[in-house]
Amino acid sequence: MPPWGFWPLAPIGVALHLLVIREVSRRARGWGSFAFGFGWFGPTCGWMFQLTAPGFPIAIAIFSSYLALAAAYLGGGKRWWLVYPAAFTIAEGIRFCFPFGGVPVASLAISQVAGPLAGLARIGGPLLLSLGTFGAGAVLASLAQRRVWPAAGWLAVLVATAALGAVAPNGTATGTSRVALVQGGGPQGTRAVSDDPEVVYQRHLDADATIVGPVDLVVWPENVIVARTGSFANSSMRDDIARRASQLNAPYAVGITEDLDDKTFINGQVVVQPDGTMPGRYDKVRRVPFGEYMPFRSVLEALPVGAEQVPRDAKAGVGPAVMDVPGIGKVGVVISWEVFFAGRTRDATRNGGTFIVNPTNGASYVGTILQSQQVASSRLRAIETGRWIVQVSPTGFSAFVDPDGNVLQRTAQIEATVLTETVERRTGLTWANRIGDIPWMVLCVALVGLARTPFKRR
C-alpha cells in the first residue's frame, strides 16, 4: 500500500491470511481476520489520527469487522478458494459505501496500480481489481497446499482477464490542451480554523507568476481562496485571478470556499475568464466526514473529541461532476476526497468530461500516507476512465497522470512550483464506466452462494 508500495506483497499477504484461517474454528477465523484488518488499516489509515484521534481506532475497528464478517462464510469445504475472494471483495464493496457514504481509502485496488492486474480496473473498476487480487492470493495459497486445479483455474481467469483489460476500450483522443498546475508550497499540518488563508493565497499568486505561456488552462488547488465575507464573485481575489488570466490569455480553474452563513460553507472549483466572467463552476458533492462536516455534531460537541476543529459544515453540491471551460469544452472535476470514489469520475466521463482535474488540499496532514494514496487513486481512476487526471495540491503531491495510470510529472512536498503538461482531451467510455459497480457485487454474491451450495453426486 502507498506510500510503501510494493505490489507483490498484497497477494502474498492475502495468501498467508487465507492459509492461517483456512482450517480453524469460526471464532478463530473471525478474530484472525479482525487482526488482519488492524494490520491492513492501522498503518495505512494512520493519517486519520490527525483528523480525529478518538475516531481513528473506531474506524479501524469498523473496517476490520467487515473482514471478520466475511471470514464467517469460510468453512472447511472444498470450494474455499472460490468463496474467500468473493466474500472479502464484498467486504471491500461495503466499505466503499458505508458508513458516511463510504470510506474507500487504503483499498486493495490502489495497491495494485503498478502491478500486472491494474488493467482489470478498465473492465470492472476497483471491485474487479480487488476480486482479482484476492484471487491471486488464492492461487498462491492453493499452490502452497498442492491443490493444482484451484490454482490453475484462478490463474487462467486472471491471465485472460488481464489480457482483456489490456485491449479493452479506453477512449479516443480528440485534441490536446496545455495545462499548468500551481502548487504554492508551505508547511503541512495547518488548519483553516487557525491559520491565515491570506498567506496561502499569496504563496499561490507568487508561484503563479512563474508560469511561462502559452497555456490553455491554469488549475489552482482546493480552497486556497477563502471568501470570508460575501462571495468570490464580488471579491478583489476574483480581480487578481482575472488579471492573471488576461496576462496569459487563458482561463483559470481555482478552488474557493464561500461562507453561506455562520454554520455552513461551500467548497467549489470556479472557472475565471480573462474578462472576469465565470462560465463554469462545480461544488463538491462528497464531503469528508469529521473534516468538512461533523456527523452527530450535537453529541460530539459535548465531548472532548476536537469537534471545534470543524466549526461549520460544508453544504454538499449537486449536479454532474463537470464544468465548462471556454476553448476546451467540458472538464471533469472531482475535488480532493472525491477521487477515492469511482462513482464521481464515472459521473464526470458520462457527462462529457474530456479530462479530469482533482484539486485537493492535504496540507492538514503531516507525512505522505494520504497524499501518496491519493496519487495512487488518481492512477486507478485514470485507468478506469481512460482519461488524463490532473491532481493539484497546495503543499504536495501535485501530478499529471495519463490514461494508462503512468505518473508523468509529480511535485515534491512543501515546494512552491508550477508543472505544465500537454493533456489529451478524450471521449468514449471504458467498460468499467459503462457497467458500474453493481454487477460485480452481484457476481461476488453469486460466487459465495455457489460455493456454499451443497451439490450431491448421483
Side-chain angles (χ1 to χ4, degrees), residues 47-368:
W47 60 271
M48 283 187 182
F49 186 85
Q50 302 172 56
L51 178 67
T52 167
F56 169 63
I58 296 173
I60 302 308
I62 292 173
F63 302 160
S64 300
S65 69
Y66 295 164
L67 302 181
L69 290 172
Y73 285 92
L74 297 178
K78 294 182 179 180
R79 292 186 289 273
W80 54 268
W81 53 272
L82 184 61
V83 69
Y84 176 96
F88 278 78
T89 300
I90 292 171
E92 276 283 81
I94 293 172
R95 185 167 68 89
F96 291 171
C97 58
F98 181 84
F100 309 121
V103 188
V105 295
S107 67
L108 195 63
I110 68 169
S111 76
Q112 299 301 297
V113 292
L117 297 179
L120 271 63
R122 193 172 290 125
I123 301 173
L127 288 180
L128 184 60
L129 183 51
S130 297
L131 180 63
T133 308
F134 283 120
V139 170
L140 298 179
S142 299
L143 291 175
Q145 293 196 330
R146 298 181 181 180
R147 294 176 176 266
V148 176
W149 289 113
W154 263 115
L155 188 60
V157 169
L158 291 176
V159 170
T161 311
L164 184 61
V167 299
N170 70 335
T172 303
T174 60
T176 60
S177 297
R178 191 73 175 163
V179 179
L181 57 82
V182 179
Q183 179 173 299
Q188 292 189 307
T190 58
R191 293 273 184 173
V193 71
S194 57
D195 292 274
D196 186 359
E198 291 294 331
V199 173
V200 176
Y201 174 61
Q202 188 59 50
R203 287 194 188 108
H204 284 78
L205 279 178
D206 294 343
D208 188 272
T210 66
I211 295 176
V212 177
V215 294
D216 299 307
L217 175 66
V218 179
V219 186
W220 278 29
E222 176 190 24
N223 59 41
V224 294
I225 297 177
V226 179
R228 290 294 190 194
T229 57
S231 67
F232 169 70
N234 299 321
S235 70
S236 61
M237 294 176 287
R238 188 205 67 168
D239 297 335
D240 293 339
I241 300 301
R243 190 177 306 113
R244 284 294 297 150
S246 179
Q247 292 170 358
L248 290 171
N249 192 30
Y252 272 57
V254 295
I256 67 169
T257 58
E258 294 177 320
D259 290 348
L260 298 178
D261 51 48
D262 60 352
K263 293 183 179 180
T264 58
F265 69 96
I266 198 160
N267 181 354
Q269 196 77 7
V270 179
V271 176
V272 181
Q273 281 280 80
D275 62 1
T277 58
M278 299 188 299
R281 174 169 181 151
Y282 169 77
D283 293 326
K284 189 175 184 179
V285 173
R286 288 276 189 175
R287 303 165 298 162
V288 181
F290 305 101
E292 291 178 307
Y293 77 101
M294 189 61 64
F296 319 116
R297 177 175 290 277
S298 59
V299 174
L300 295 178
E301 285 182 337
L303 302 173
V305 294
E308 69 281 355
Q309 294 294 323
V310 188
R312 295 171 299 138
D313 291 336
K315 181 181 178 181
V318 295
V322 292
M323 59 187 182
D324 292 314
V325 179
I328 293 178
K330 290 189 180 297
V331 173
V333 190
V334 289
I335 298 178
S336 189
W337 173 248
E338 294 183 315
V339 79
F340 289 99
F341 294 84
R344 296 312 300 156
T345 50
R346 187 184 309 133
D347 183 81
T349 56
R350 286 178 175 179
N351 283 281
T354 54
F355 61 88
I356 297 170
V357 296
N358 174 227
T360 184
N361 184 357
S364 298
Y365 309 105
V366 176
T368 64

Side-chain angles (χ1 to χ4, degrees), residues 373-397:
Q373 286 184 25
Q374 188 160 353
V375 173
S377 188
S378 289
R379 296 176 69 182
L380 181 61
R381 300 288 92 86
I383 296 169
E384 287 172 15
T385 61
R387 297 293 190 273
W388 281 72
I389 306 289
V390 179
Q391 179 177 319
V392 55
S393 167
T395 61
F397 298 117

Side-chain angles (χ1 to χ4, degrees), residues 20-21 24-34 71:
V20 166
I21 66 170
V24 297
S25 68
R26 186 183 297 269
R27 179 186 296 270
R29 287 200 304 272
W31 283 111
S33 298
F34 190 82

